[in-house]
Amino acid sequence: MFKQFLAASTAALALGAAAPLAAQEGADATISAPEIEYTMWTLDNGLRVIAIQDDSTADVTTSMWYDVGSKLDPEGRSGFAHLFEHILSRKTLNMPYNQIYGLTADVGGTRNASNGPDRTNYFETVPAEYLERMLWTHRERMYFPVVDDEVFNRERDVVKEELRQRVLAPPYGRFQRFVLPENAYDTTAYRRPGIGSIEELNAATLEDALAFHEAYYGPDTATLIVAGNFDEANLRALVDEYFADIPRRENPVPLELNTEEPERTEPRTIVARAPNVPLPVRGTVWKGPKTATEDTAALEVLSAIMARGDNSRLNEALVRSGKAVDASFFYSDGEEAGMIAGFAITNPTADAAEVRTILDAEFEKVRTTPVSLAELREAKNELMSSTLRQRETARGRAFELGEALVSTGDPKAADKRLEAIAAVTVADVQRAAAKWLDPQGRVDMTYERGEENPQDWANPYPFPTFRSLPEPTRTPLAVRPEAEREAPPAPGMKPTVEAPAIVERTLSNGIEVVAAQTGDVPFGTMTVLVPGGAKSDARAKAGVANMAAALADKGAGGMGAQEIAARLESLGASVGATAGTDGTFFSLTAPAANMQEAGEVLASMIRSADYPAEEFERERKRAIDGLQVDLKDPGALARMAALPVFYGDAAYGSQPGGTQASLAAITREDLLEHRQAYWHPAGTKIIVSGGVSADDAVALADSLFGDWTSDAPVPPMVEDAAGEPSPVRTVVIDLPEAGQAAVYAGMRAPSRSSEDYVALELANSVLGGGSSGRLFEEVRTKRSISYGAYSGLPARADDAYLIASAQTQNATADEVVQVFLDEFDRLGSETFAEELIDKRRLFLSGGYGRSLETSSGFNNIVAELLMYGLEPGEAANYAADLQGVTPEAASAAAAKYVSADKATIVVVGNAAEFIDDLRAIRPDVEVIPASELDLSRGDLGVSE
């Protein structure tokens, strides 16, 4: 529930008494993942090339990994490697600003880039026939980048908006990005925030960017990984053609850093505060070892034992006891150093000192007492299963290999990591815990609401000085005039790939089953769709459907919550359950060999969840506490407020996760009644895919659910869930402490089964489909006032809303609103060109096809089709459906549904910074203080 609020810092980072229940002794402890098969060679200029061939996909992924991360940020320029990651993709000698977006999205592909402490990567996935074109773009970016004032200033502004969105707006953003690294490290560059600071970003100059490129970017610092459908001989020839003549860096600055973290020998304590912290955090951080060292695998296993899954030690000691709403423990490793941390988000009614005492007791216990063999097996299976899921696609294998490679220099590091995890013993875990969780090396941390003062949490160890870079010497390049530019290469031969066969069966009790073998990796997903989504909730008890689903694993079939968690986690399995708007979804993922045993647990949950009173009371309280976090996050609050604003008092206006008042009103009996009324075999549909044959999948579904019967009546349908169209409104929710404003705009749209749906979906892709949509172009690319702006058309059984959204600094909220309204009018009044619609068809069908390659993606698509009465075979016909929409039909759909005068606006932020300018656009603005908001009412509580 809460882990997204304390997400990655230097790597994968999340927040994070009786012992957990022993894992199942019969659980198979031999889960393994197939090795990553690859070919590697190195050019004379130092460029390393890795090829991962997979002829089962119609796509190819190209990714260029540079050994250049935020640890190389120059003195006084924190965040610079991340800023340069933005810069390098924008312009080259032959590519004008952001042409890279069109070269990927317009052919059905996708692209992005990312930056971490140790590396930066640029990656694309496109139809395989465009391999050469993508290699050409990487050549352009490596050899001919254009770094000028336009690129530098625009991207710096975008990065500042990203910092506001990811750090200042979320309740725990400052803790994650600023407080934690400052206190985890003393001397290494990891101490600085990788995203930088507004002050140091403002201080950066164009000359800094030119110097950074000259110092660090070249073939001798790069690895090209190509994964997917290609001919290796052709790939080798193309790599030679596009990269062999690129010279090494002329005046290379060493990539190596020689600083070692000193041992911390004296504990200390810090208290950090921020204005938007809803629930206090208590925790401890220690220094940890580097990547791929003696204790790395043991610490990964230790972290899983401590906090991975519900059958973990901190979950049992803190969450199940009601002392904390969430707890976590993690080990984050890097090339230069590592950190280990354990945290708890404190229950607002709990004694914070007691939470600290429990944390300390758990840390000491794992240092001094061996973990059990059952815990060891469970942790290993969880880690192995996670890797199986990653390796379902060639794209996933490429990223796993790349991440391990850049921090170790070894292309086999990903597989060696699994071997090391498999070899970890109980003694290894205790040795690592005793060594690294040294009480003398700890920093105890508190994060709570209050006035921000960085001096309160500053590390007393002298702040290190980092290298400065030589002045740039090259003459900057400029984009060539259009007539002189080299054209991107034409597409090559399109491979023929057979789509997996979709098998449909009906069990003897009427349950529909859809199965497909979507891959060969021994990992599968089973999705069970039952009626009774959030629209079935009474407004006064909003959240019943979602709580019934989420708490189904707290007791069923004679098993308690601990036994259910232990059985699933011992099998490397996980179950997710949530109530969507129109139905409830259960999703089981597991190694293929364990699908039957894990599926038995899932079946018990669906057929006989009994919601033990103690579990119910605790989880209801956690949900209420969790809403305190959402209510302090402008993006989350805007999403919640939009529902009653759009739909009024109709069923779709209900909060799926409930409100604090509605959750408090829900009883255990409400959950039981919901399950008995709505989870019924007559309305159930099952989808199974992954590395499981279709016949085996059908047999699995039959063994688990084929004998399910019910004497209860068929679940009732919720009629007219969207209600009558609500009047157009402009609503501002005043959140004075908001670090950013969130803007939502919505227009009434058709249901998923409507004849207009696909046509409007195509028109919407012009408006806000990805980074090549118009909203992104206007808001981010041209104005640099947001990290991104998008629009979407959700699927609904009744009328939906087409929704555009963006986050921006408070002072520019009105500007984003005006852009949205202008683009709505533009979309609804023009006739689309055939060329534009062709590109958008490919954009939509390409994303759809990539989703179908993973078992979870396939299941999500088919479940949506089934929920809205469409044939599962439509999953394979989506491209044809899009092809059947003419430009005239897309234009007509846009004209029918999209215009500024149809748009309802919701803005959440510090109203004082934008309200006057917004009133100049929309004079009839309703301003509601966030503290007075009633999310259960269509009027949000502004009238009696």
Side-chain angles (χ1 to χ4, degrees):
M1 182 187 301
F2 297 88
K3 287 184 170 57
Q4 65 268 36
F5 301 113
L6 290 171
S9 164
T10 58
L13 178 144
L15 254 191
L21 191 69
Q24 301 301 294
E25 296 299 329
D28 189 349
T30 60
I31 293 175
S32 61
E35 289 187 358
I36 300 176
E37 297 181 0
Y38 66 91
T39 304
M40 185 177 75
W41 65 97
T42 304
L43 304 188
D44 290 343
N45 58 11
L47 178 66
R48 180 167 43 192
V49 184
I50 294 176
I52 302 173
Q53 210 163 353
D54 185 347
D55 294 340
S56 68
T57 176
D59 290 337
V60 66
T61 295
T62 55
S63 55
M64 190 70 77
W65 300 71
Y66 289 92
D67 293 324
V68 182
S70 58
K71 68 184 182 184
L72 296 177
D73 289 345
E75 174 65 21
R77 297 293 185 266
S78 64
F80 207 85
H82 174 240
L83 171 59
F84 199 81
E85 170 245 300
H86 280 248
I87 289 171
L88 193 63
S89 289
R90 301 303 162 221
K91 285 179 18 180
T92 72
L93 197 63
N94 295 295
M95 290 196 298
Y97 208 108
N98 277 350
Q99 186 183 7
I100 185 65
Y101 288 141
L103 291 177
T104 50
D106 291 349
V107 300
T110 185
R111 65 148 304 274
N112 214 326
S114 70
N115 169 258
D118 297 324
R119 94 297 182 276
T120 300
N121 67 348
Y122 304 84
F123 53 93
E124 307 80 28
T125 300
V126 293
E129 59 268 31
Y130 291 95
L131 169 62
E132 182 176 1
R133 182 174 294 182
M134 292 304 101
L135 296 178
W136 177 84
T137 69
H138 281 291
R139 170 184 172 83
E140 285 282 312
R141 285 174 279 178
M142 179 183 286
Y143 201 13
F144 304 122
V146 171
V147 183
D148 58 16
D149 282 322
E150 179 191 33
V151 171
F152 181 79
N153 290 323
R154 281 193 187 182
E155 294 309 312
R156 177 170 58 179
D157 286 344
V158 167
V159 168
K160 288 190 288 186
E161 286 306 312
E162 182 181 359
L163 189 153
R164 293 184 179 100
Q165 181 169 327
R166 294 189 173 186
V167 180
L168 303 184
Y172 300 104
R174 293 171 174 87
F175 179 80
Q176 166 209 326
R177 301 280 186 157
F178 294 160
V179 179
L180 192 55
E182 167 69 8
N183 288 280
Y185 305 104
D186 292 330
T187 59
T188 61
Y190 294 170
R191 182 171 167 181
R192 291 182 296 178
I195 200 167
S197 67
I198 297 293
E199 295 74 21
E200 294 202 359
L201 289 169
N202 283 337
T205 66
L206 174 61
E207 288 67 30
D208 292 331
L210 295 168
F212 194 82
H213 181 259
E214 285 190 27
Y216 294 125
Y217 274 80
D220 49 321
T221 65
T223 298
L224 171 66
I225 302 179
V226 179
N229 199 326
F230 57 85
D231 175 76
E232 185 178 320
N234 181 53
L235 173 63
R236 286 178 178 269
L238 292 173
V239 167
D240 284 345
E241 177 181 351
Y242 287 109
F243 298 100
D245 66 333
I246 301 177
R248 292 172 179 260
R249 293 170 295 158
E250 292 179 14
N251 300 300
V253 173
L255 303 179
E256 297 76 19
L257 300 177
N258 299 318
T259 303
E260 296 287 337
E261 281 289 337
E263 181 180 357
R264 186 179 291 131
T265 58
E266 183 177 344
R268 56 188 176 85
T269 299
I270 63 110
V271 177
R273 298 178 178 89
N276 59 339
V277 180
L279 301 173
V281 175
R282 298 290 186 273
T284 300
V285 64
W286 297 264
K287 295 184 179 184
K290 301 177 182 180
T291 298
T293 48
E294 178 188 17
D295 292 327
T296 297
L299 287 171
E300 279 202 70
V301 172
L302 171 64
S303 297
I305 289 170
M306 292 295 285
R308 191 175 185 120
D310 287 350
N311 193 43
S312 60
R313 291 190 173 193
L314 292 189
N315 188 75
E316 177 63 24
L318 287 161
V319 178
R320 285 182 54 79
S321 68
K323 304 301 181 183
V325 294
D326 197 42
S328 189
F329 185 98
F330 69 90
Y331 161 51
S332 176
D333 58 320
E335 193 171 5
E336 308 302 325
M339 73 162 123
I340 304 161
F343 290 95
I345 300 181
T346 303
N347 184 318
T349 62
D351 181 348
E354 184 182 7
V355 171
R356 162 63 65 194
T357 298
I358 294 171
L359 277 170
D360 290 348
E362 290 299 322
F363 298 153
E364 183 62 19
K365 178 181 174 182
V366 81
R367 286 188 74 245
T368 57
T369 306
V371 301
S372 69
L373 285 171
E375 287 179 301
L376 184 72
R377 283 199 304 271
E378 181 179 302
K380 290 181 179 183
N381 279 354
E382 288 175 314
L383 294 169
M384 293 293 181
S385 182
S386 177
T387 299
L388 278 174
R389 185 169 192 166
Q390 172 84 1
R391 295 187 181 187
E392 275 195 286
T393 64
R395 181 172 62 252
R397 296 190 291 276
F399 276 88
E400 185 187 353
L401 186 150
E403 291 286 8
L405 169 67
V406 292
S407 58
T408 64
D410 183 358
K412 293 185 177 296
D415 287 327
K416 289 180 179 178
R417 167 184 170 264
L418 297 187
E419 293 172 3
I421 288 171
V424 169
T425 66
V426 168
D428 292 333
V429 174
Q430 188 174 11
R431 183 196 71 248
K435 176 180 179 181
W436 295 102
L437 305 187
D438 184 351
Q440 295 304 306
R442 62 190 288 161
V443 178
D444 292 329
M445 309 175 76
T446 294
Y447 188 63
E448 60 190 21
R449 185 180 179 89
E451 184 177 351
E452 183 178 16
N453 181 4
Q455 292 306 311
D456 290 343
W457 45 266
N459 186 339
Y461 201 97
F463 197 80
T465 299
F466 304 99
R467 69 170 61 135
S468 296
L469 298 178
E471 294 291 323
T473 59
R474 298 181 197 158
T475 301
L477 299 175
V479 179
R480 286 171 171 164
E482 185 172 0
E484 299 175 18
R485 292 176 202 157
E486 179 182 316
M493 183 79 69
K494 183 176 182 177
T496 300
V497 177
E498 186 174 347
I502 297 176
V503 174
E504 300 177 56
R505 296 285 187 271
T506 302
L507 304 184
S508 59
N509 58 359
I511 293 177
E512 297 178 48
V513 179
V514 178
Q517 183 169 351
T518 54
D520 295 324
V521 174
F523 184 85
T525 299
M526 170 181 280
T527 299
V528 181
L529 170 64
V530 297
K535 69 181 181 182
S536 68
D537 292 342
R539 186 63 65 97
K541 293 193 174 184
V544 165
N546 196 59
M547 187 171 284
L551 272 60
D553 64 352
K554 303 308 177 189
M559 298 178 289
Q562 286 179 288
E563 184 177 354
I564 289 172
R567 287 186 62 179
L568 290 172
E569 292 165 24
S570 294
L571 296 165
S574 63
V575 172
T578 186
T581 301
D582 292 306
T584 293
F585 301 83
F586 292 86
S587 183
L588 166 71
T589 60
N594 293 343
M595 286 286 285
Q596 176 70 44
E597 192 172 347
E600 291 169 1
V601 179
L602 173 65
S604 292
M605 290 166 52
I606 295 172
R607 297 169 63 166
S608 61
D610 54 21
Y611 309 109
E614 183 179 356
E615 301 283 348
F616 166 75
E617 293 294 344
R618 183 186 61 252
E619 293 302 318
R620 181 178 62 171
K621 178 65 167 60
R622 286 185 71 207
I624 292 171
D625 294 339
L627 286 176
Q628 293 190 44
V629 178
D630 288 340
L631 294 174
K632 293 296 182 183
D633 186 316
L637 183 53
R639 286 191 294 274
M640 295 172 68
L643 290 174
V645 172
F646 291 163
Y647 289 108
D649 294 323
Y652 279 172
S654 182
Q655 298 295 333
T659 66
Q660 290 173 315
S662 70
L663 291 174
I666 294 172
T667 66
R668 170 180 176 269
E669 288 68 30
D670 292 326
L671 306 192
L672 286 167
E673 289 174 8
H674 179 88
R675 177 182 67 75
Q676 291 160 1
Y678 287 100
W679 302 0
H680 193 290
T684 297
K685 305 176 193 303
I686 299 172
I687 307 100
V688 185
S689 68
V692 182
S693 74
D695 288 343
D696 287 346
V698 172
L700 173 64
D702 192 32
S703 71
L704 299 175
F705 294 96
D707 63 348
W708 184 21
T709 60
S710 175
D711 295 329
V714 174
M717 297 292 292
V718 177
E719 303 293 340
D720 194 23
E724 290 298 313
S726 298
V728 171
R729 299 169 64 185
T730 304
V731 176
V732 169
I733 298 171
D734 186 17
L735 190 67
E737 67 270 29
Q740 206 178 32
V743 179
Y744 262 57
M747 294 153 287
R748 190 92 164 192
S751 69
R752 178 63 180 85
S753 57
S754 167
E755 292 182 357
D756 290 340
Y757 183 85
V758 175
L760 185 59
E761 187 178 29
L762 188 53
N764 173 69
S765 72
V766 175
L767 175 68
S771 52
S772 54
R774 289 175 176 175
L775 296 181
F776 189 98
E777 174 70 15
E778 293 296 326
V779 173
R780 171 169 162 166
T781 302
K782 290 184 179 180
R783 292 170 174 81
S784 302
I785 56 175
S786 177
Y787 185 50
Y790 309 95
S791 62
L793 178 60
R796 294 289 182 266
D798 202 347
D799 282 0
Y801 264 76
L802 189 156
I803 300 171
S805 63
Q807 288 189 215
T808 185
Q809 55 184 309
N810 286 293
T812 52
D814 58 289
E815 187 175 352
V816 170
V817 169
Q818 187 64 67
V819 171
F820 281 8
L821 297 176
D822 291 345
E823 289 305 315
F824 295 162
D825 277 342
R826 177 186 175 194
L827 192 83
S829 61
E830 72 175 296
T831 300
F832 297 133
E834 180 70 45
E835 181 183 11
L836 173 62
I837 293 301
D838 276 343
K839 291 176 179 178
R840 295 289 85 187
R841 291 187 187 114
L842 290 171
F843 167 77
L844 289 173
S845 61
Y848 205 83
R850 288 188 296 277
S851 293
L852 290 172
E853 289 188 352
T854 67
S855 56
S856 60
F858 177 90
N859 285 20
N860 289 341
I861 286 173
V862 173
E864 179 182 296
L865 292 170
L866 293 174
M867 184 163 60
Y868 297 117
L870 303 173
E871 294 297 319
E874 286 297 303
N877 298 331
Y878 184 62
D881 292 342
L882 290 170
Q883 198 62 42
V885 178
T886 65
E888 293 76 16
S891 296
K896 182 176 179 180
Y897 295 102
V898 181
S899 66
D901 60 5
K902 294 184 174 76
T904 285
I905 306 293
V906 177
V907 183
V908 178
N910 182 4
E913 296 192 44
F914 60 79
I915 190 63
D916 291 340
D917 291 329
L918 182 59
R919 284 196 171 111
I921 300 170
R922 285 273 183 98
D924 56 342
V925 177
E926 307 166 44
V927 180
I928 306 170
S931 59
E932 300 176 13
L933 200 61
D934 185 347
L935 293 169
S936 69
R937 292 170 47 170
D939 61 13
L940 299 180
V942 296
S943 64
E944 295 299 322

